[in-house]
Amino acid sequence: MLSLILALIIAVAAFNIVSTLVMAVTTRNRISRFYVPRRKPAQYMKIFIVQGTFIGVFGTILGSPVECC
């Protein structure tokens, strides 16, 4: 039962990260300082993959239990 609850929590967190990145991609055309005409769509994809990986790793480190002494 505990592993099921943990799996649901992880699934919700992953969905939150994915939805945040999708919103960032869909609104990127509105952000004029982010848009550079010389960049290809693949370069934008790399930016969001790195951003998602960073958020995931940082969240995992921050959320992992730390045992004290």
Side-chain angles (χ1 to χ4, degrees), residues 16-26 48-49 51-53 55:
N16 189 16
I17 291 172
V18 168
S19 65
T20 301
L21 291 175
V22 167
M23 289 298 293
V25 169
T26 57
F48 290 112
I49 288 174
Q51 182 182 8
T53 303
I55 290 170

Side-chain angles (χ1 to χ4, degrees), residues 3 9 11-14 18-19 26-27 31-32 36-37 42-43 45 47 50 52 54-55 57 60 63 65:
S3 58
I9 291 172
V12 169
V18 168
S19 65
T26 57
T27 60
I31 304 171
S32 61
V36 178
Q43 291 174 324
M45 186 61 78
I47 290 171
V50 169
F54 178 75
I55 290 170
V57 169
T60 302

